[in-house]
Amino acid sequence: PPLPFIGNLLFFREVRYDFLFHKLYQYYIGRQMFVVVSTPEMIKQILVTNFSNFTNRTKPNLISKPMLDSILCLRDDRWKYVRSLLIPVFSETKLKEVRCRQCCFHNLEYIIVFFCMTPLINQACDVLLCNLKVYADSGKAFDIQRCYNCFTLDVVGSVAFGTEVDSQKNPDDPFVKNCRTFFEMSLFKPLLILILSFPFIMIPLLRIFPNKKQKELNGFFIQTIKNAIIFRDQQDAAERRRDFLQWMLDSRNSADSLAAGCFDVSSPSAASRQNESPLAGRAPSEKVQKMLTEDEIAGQAFLFLIAGFETTTSTLSFATYLLATNPECQEKVLQEVDEFSAKHMVPDYQNVQELPYLEMVIAETLRMYPPAFRFTREAAEDCIVLGQRIPAGAVIETAVGHLHHNPEFWPEPEKFMPERFTEEAKKERHPFAYLPFGAGPRGCIGMKMGLLETKITLLRILQKFQFKTCPETEIPLQLKSKATLGPKNGVYIMLESR
Ligand code: HEM
């Protein structure tokens, strides 16, 4: 039963990533009602079939710019517009960008398939491998999650903020320091309880007296992007780095030509592809502003930090833990990696498709430990879904942790079994029984990028090293589940050179 003012807040003092094994239940945080759903049919109804009533996530009450401007927090028509602009960036054509160059020897037009994102990821991998070699040579146990943290931050800096950093060697770099502060900062707990208990008083008060540190931090990220924009605008078009930031800057000029009616809101998630168009009949308002403002560009760059950083770091850390503790699976991956290395010098977007077992390992990692273990939708109006009344304003929470550990879909759910993801096995399962990236029009837009980064990184590491457990390895792994699910105390392993 909820307590007065704080609701069921105390229930969340412990790790609650798998939730209770109930198909449907509700709880309160302060006065806000949350309805937890965990059956594939009900989830499909919320995320896809009734999407027009469940377009938004929870109201971002205390969130400020640049996060407020990121697509994660945008609502209704503005979300649809920005999403339609971003979809091409995250689609396959962008991940393998095609560029024409003049061949200086024969004066012929050559088309060079230039893998736009992969060189940036590979570059950050080079630094990661140098750092890992030191640990492998030392023969000592170390926390590989810390290395992944630095690596993923380097990728975010490079791809989204147009700034090259080596966060392991330069922990004092202002970009690195501010990113770390951003993730370490959490609301003072008594203050959080006051906000939850008396939102109508506390939220306006906090808006009048904003957090100084938070303001400085937000200002830093916005200024970094603005400086990068000034620099890029001064550069010759040919000199500009091809990255996410540049794509958004280019879209400043082309956005106007996008008709408000031609939204492509198809979900990147495999599960949602099988479903009917959920936005039918919801044409966006003509008043939607057809340009990304500079603040919104900063917001979208920032989303790499909030949506892509922790999720990718945790996926890499969990996969490492699972491979180290399941040596027979690691052996199979190593064999596949060696066959790959005999054929290809450098991994790129296309050739990494030739690693089906590694792909299955990553899929099974995301089943056992889904970093985004719950996500929300807010009911715009009162409605009835599969016989259940849902009041307007209620927040629906998808219990992915529960879903992924339900023995009805996953026999022996605590076992690491990559073979659950062969093509045949996948066909036999309900498509909404596996949702590490969400589903429907609001599903993860960065799924392909997240998977590409994870795959290339594991491949590059396993070409040189193998993971070994050691006395310091925590088995079973302790988990933390604040915003995302991650290892609580890092992942201590040893590396053996190959
Ligand atoms: C393995 C890594 C990742 C995992 C497991 C993951 C998972 C998720 C999940 C579960 C959601 C919520 C989906 C929903 O509400 O239905 C989400 C949303 C989102 N993710 Fe990811 N994600 C990952 C990597 C990334 C990356 C690299 C980016 C790139 C920037 C990204 C960008 C986003 C964005 C923008 C949204 C919100 C989409 C919207 O509101 O329209 N994600 N992600």
Side-chain angles (χ1 to χ4, degrees), residues 57 79 83 303 311 315 372 375 377 436-439 442 444-445:
R57 298 207 172 85
W79 163 75
R83 175 123 184 166
L303 79 83
T311 45
T315 308
F375 46 82
R377 297 287 187 276
F437 294 97
R442 197 125 202 195
C444 177
I445 205 173

Side-chain angles (χ1 to χ4, degrees), residues 235-350:
Q235 274 184 313
D236 261 9
E239 279 174 22
R240 290 174 194 151
R241 212 160 170 267
R242 303 302 306 167
D243 54 18
F244 179 72
L245 176 62
Q246 191 55 48
W247 187 90
M248 283 194 298
L249 295 179
D250 294 347
S251 83
R252 281 181 307 184
N253 309 323
S254 58
D256 262 342
S257 60
L258 269 166
C262 66
F263 287 96
D264 171 11
V265 285
S266 62
S267 160
S269 128
S272 62
R273 253 182 255 133
Q274 319 180 5
N275 294 290
E276 57 274 22
S277 167
L279 285 185
R282 287 203 87 220
S285 140
E286 288 303 314
K287 285 188 210 133
V288 172
Q289 188 197 336
K290 292 194 212 163
M291 278 278 268
L292 280 184
T293 61
E294 277 195 2
D295 279 358
E296 280 177 332
I297 291 179
Q300 307 328 309
F302 204 64
L303 79 83
F304 273 78
L305 209 55
I306 46 182
F309 170 69
E310 275 196 324
T311 45
T312 312
T313 304
S314 296
T315 308
L316 285 166
S317 307
F318 286 134
T320 301
Y321 167 77
L322 288 167
L323 286 173
T325 49
N326 292 275
E328 61 307 335
C329 292
Q330 182 170 195
E331 202 45 54
K332 281 192 199 167
V333 180
L334 291 175
Q335 223 172 336
E336 189 176 78
V337 164
D338 290 346
E339 281 162 25
F340 177 94
S341 310
K343 273 169 71 186
H344 305 287
M345 294 280 284
V346 185
D348 61 39
Y349 178 71
Q350 233 153 22

Side-chain angles (χ1 to χ4, degrees), residues 29-68:
I29 294 285
R31 298 166 61 179
Q32 174 69 58
M33 180 207 275
F34 287 75
V35 179
V36 182
V37 296
S38 57
T39 57
E41 250 333 298
M42 187 75 168
I43 293 174
K44 183 179 163 191
Q45 291 288 322
I46 304 285
L47 299 185
V48 180
T49 318
N50 291 298
F51 180 76
S52 56
N53 196 40
F54 296 99
T55 307
N56 300 315
R57 298 207 172 85
T58 330
K59 259 197 195 85
N61 269 331
L62 276 177
I63 292 172
S64 43
K65 283 168 181 282
M67 190 153 158
L68 193 63

